Amino acid sequence: MAWFYLFIAGLFEIGWAIGLKYTENFTKLWSSAGTVAAMIASFYFLSIAIKSIPIGTGYAVWTGIGAVGTAILGIILFDESREAIRIICILLIVAGILGLKIFSKSVTN
C-alpha cells in the first residue's frame, strides 16, 4: 500500500503545482484553497508512504511524479514546449522513478 499512497501523494503534488498557476499569487480564493488543500493532502500521503519506503526513494519518486505530471500538463494546458529533447528528459525522469521502484527495499521500523 505504501507505493499506492506515494502515487496518490504524487498526484496531489501535480494538482498543487498546476493549482499555483491559477491562484494568481494567492489572490484567487477558491484556486488558492484548492491548491493549499492539495499541498496538505500531498504531504499527508507522502508521510504515510515513507513509513515503509526509504525517505530518499520516497522523496525522489514523489518529486519525480510531480515533475513529470506537471510537465505533461504544462504541455497540454499551457502550450509549453513539445520539443523532442524535452520529451526525452521527461522520459528519463520516468525511467528513474521506475528504477527506484524496482530496486528499492522497504524500511522496517
Side-chain angles (χ1 to χ4, degrees), residues 57-74:
T57 300
Y59 184 76
V61 170
W62 176 64
T63 57
I65 292 169
V68 168
T70 303
I72 291 170
L73 284 178

Side-chain angles (χ1 to χ4, degrees), residues 74-109:
I75 291 168
I76 294 167
L77 298 174
F78 308 119
D79 200 32
E80 293 179 1
S81 170
R82 292 170 169 79
E83 292 180 33
I85 191 69
R86 189 165 191 257
I87 303 302
I88 291 167
C89 290
I90 292 169
L91 292 173
L92 287 170
I93 296 170
V94 171
I97 292 169
L98 292 174
L100 287 170
K101 165 69 172 103
I102 291 167
F103 298 109
S104 292
K105 294 183 175 22
S106 293
V107 173
T108 55
N109 292 337

